[in-house]
Amino acid sequence: IKTVETTRRTDVIVVKTYYPYRHFDLQPGIMNRDMKKVILLLRYPLHAIASNFNHIYWNEHNLDHNKQPPIQAWDKWRDEHFEKELKSWAAHLNFWTQNFKPSHRLVVDYESLTDDDKGPRDVTRLSFFIKSTYNEGTVNPAPAFTLPCLWYRAVKMKDEIKTDIFQDNRYHTNGNYQPMFTNQQLEMAATELSNLHVKYSSDRRIGVTIQRYWEHTVLQIKK
């Protein structure tokens, strides 16, 4: 898996891309005809927005990724960028579903992938999907019986120094708050998710995931 190289390579199996959020990232098209399938990773948009802010703040201030940004910085950035970030999240989902038909895409949600029960099953789905993309013998994934152990090692065994920090502030050495959103922002997110659910209601994986995201958002709106 190559995540930062810009030079084309022919010896990689999967390439990570944030396109169209990052317009300079790899994208399907005439220049990348070998991008035949996609693994689409979804994450609850409000958590994704907060996590994205963390990475932006860390990079801008050259900080270790185990330090939670100040709440004042979060509140300011959130209010300035929320609507754009929410629209970008939806645009990312729409772009990849529109460019890859269901048989050529695998949808995985972050919450299931990191869940103790669902995570190992999702890793098995990933393994079989990647294997099915290539000719027999081209890719030799790990034996199926080892996948739960590999999942645990990759997801649950946290390297205190090099780990990638996610939404939950228990991973921050100075974590003292959970990123919050205003009622107006929650209502905006609920509306966007409701519209997406109508659009993807016939897609078993995406529709169920979007509905779960919508329900979680509505529950947070203060009456």
Side-chain angles (χ1 to χ4, degrees):
I1 299 176
K2 312 303 288 187
T3 61
V4 296
E5 291 187 8
T6 55
T7 304
R8 280 193 63 81
R9 298 273 299 273
T10 59
D11 59 345
V12 296
I13 297 173
V14 179
V15 177
K16 178 179 173 183
T17 176
Y18 292 97
Y19 189 88
Y21 182 77
R22 293 199 314 210
H23 66 275
F24 51 82
D25 271 11
L26 286 175
Q27 58 179 291
I30 192 169
M31 297 299 293
N32 296 302
R33 293 176 180 171
D34 49 349
M35 293 178 69
K36 302 185 187 310
K37 293 187 178 182
V38 62
I39 298 170
L40 179 60
L41 178 64
L42 299 181
R43 187 177 186 182
Y44 179 54
L46 300 188
H47 288 180
I49 290 171
S51 180
N52 189 40
F53 161 72
N54 288 341
H55 284 274
I56 291 172
Y57 189 89
W58 292 329
N59 291 335
E60 287 181 348
H61 294 81
N62 195 29
L63 296 176
D64 292 336
H65 288 192
N66 63 347
K67 304 293 184 183
Q68 187 176 36
I71 190 171
Q72 296 85 353
W74 157 247
D75 288 341
K76 182 176 185 297
W77 184 91
R78 176 203 63 197
D79 292 343
E80 291 175 352
H81 296 88
F82 180 81
E83 186 171 1
K84 181 181 178 181
E85 290 286 310
L86 180 64
K87 293 295 183 183
S88 293
W89 187 93
H92 185 269
L93 166 63
N94 290 329
F95 175 84
W96 291 101
T97 55
Q98 290 167 5
N99 282 275
F100 290 86
K101 58 186 180 182
S103 61
H104 285 192
R105 68 177 185 246
L106 176 70
V107 179
V108 181
D109 64 271
Y110 172 85
E111 295 76 21
S112 292
L113 187 61
T114 56
D115 180 79
D116 288 347
D117 295 323
K118 300 175 182 177
R121 294 199 297 268
D122 274 344
V123 166
T124 302
R125 292 173 60 232
L126 280 166
S127 177
F128 282 107
F129 182 78
I130 293 173
K131 184 178 180 180
S132 71
T133 304
Y134 297 90
N135 295 326
E136 187 69 27
T138 304
V139 177
N140 297 304
F145 74 89
T146 67
L147 295 177
C149 292
L150 293 173
W151 168 85
Y152 183 85
R153 180 177 180 182
V155 176
K156 295 297 182 179
M157 288 182 64
K158 186 167 68 72
D159 183 333
E160 295 292 345
I161 297 177
K162 298 180 179 179
T163 188
D164 185 16
I165 309 302
F166 299 112
Q167 165 74 11
D168 196 328
N169 70 351
R170 69 178 180 271
Y171 294 125
H172 298 140
T173 56
N174 64 328
N176 54 21
Y177 71 90
Q178 288 284 0
M180 302 297 290
F181 296 85
T182 67
N183 255 26
Q184 182 180 6
Q185 291 163 350
L186 291 170
E187 290 170 356
M188 191 182 304
T191 299
E192 185 70 47
L193 289 167
S194 178
N195 293 336
L196 288 171
H197 182 259
V198 171
K199 180 176 182 178
Y200 293 102
S201 59
S202 61
D203 188 300
R204 185 177 63 178
R205 186 80 185 194
I206 298 177
V208 170
T209 300
I210 296 297
Q211 181 176 358
R212 189 172 72 247
Y213 290 166
W214 174 82
E215 291 173 350
H216 185 64
T217 303
V218 170
L219 289 174
Q220 296 177 71
I221 299 176
K222 298 179 178 64
K223 302 299 184 183

